[in-house]
Amino acid sequence: MSTLLVLIHQFRQVVAAIVSDYCELINPQTMTATLLKNGEVVTTYKVERCDHCETLQRLDEFGYQKHLSGIKILWFCGQCR
């Protein structure tokens, strides 16, 4: 039984070393993300789905592809531009 407790303790130490202090929570309904550090809110920002690779990325206005009339039709993340 004590061997099992030692293994559980070692497993918890490994998991604690892997877990980061930062956590990003993404709400797909509102397309916003909240960055947490040790459970405290650091910042909240808009996210958008890239029209090329289809991943959720932080929104920047430079990624929009516009129609000749100026209407925003596509958005590409920094890696796909």
Side-chain angles (χ1 to χ4, degrees), residues 24-64:
E24 183 181 42
L25 302 175
I26 298 174
N27 184 342
Q29 281 92 15
T30 60
M31 295 303 279
T32 58
T34 303
L35 182 63
L36 305 173
K37 180 178 181 184
N38 295 326
E40 296 180 18
V41 176
V42 175
T43 186
T44 302
Y45 49 88
K46 296 286 290 174
V47 294
E48 187 64 53
R49 182 176 305 276
C50 176
D51 288 319
H52 185 260
C53 67
E54 297 186 1
T55 60
L56 288 175
Q57 300 284 331
R58 188 174 191 161
L59 177 66
D60 63 343
E61 295 295 322
F62 299 108
Y64 281 112

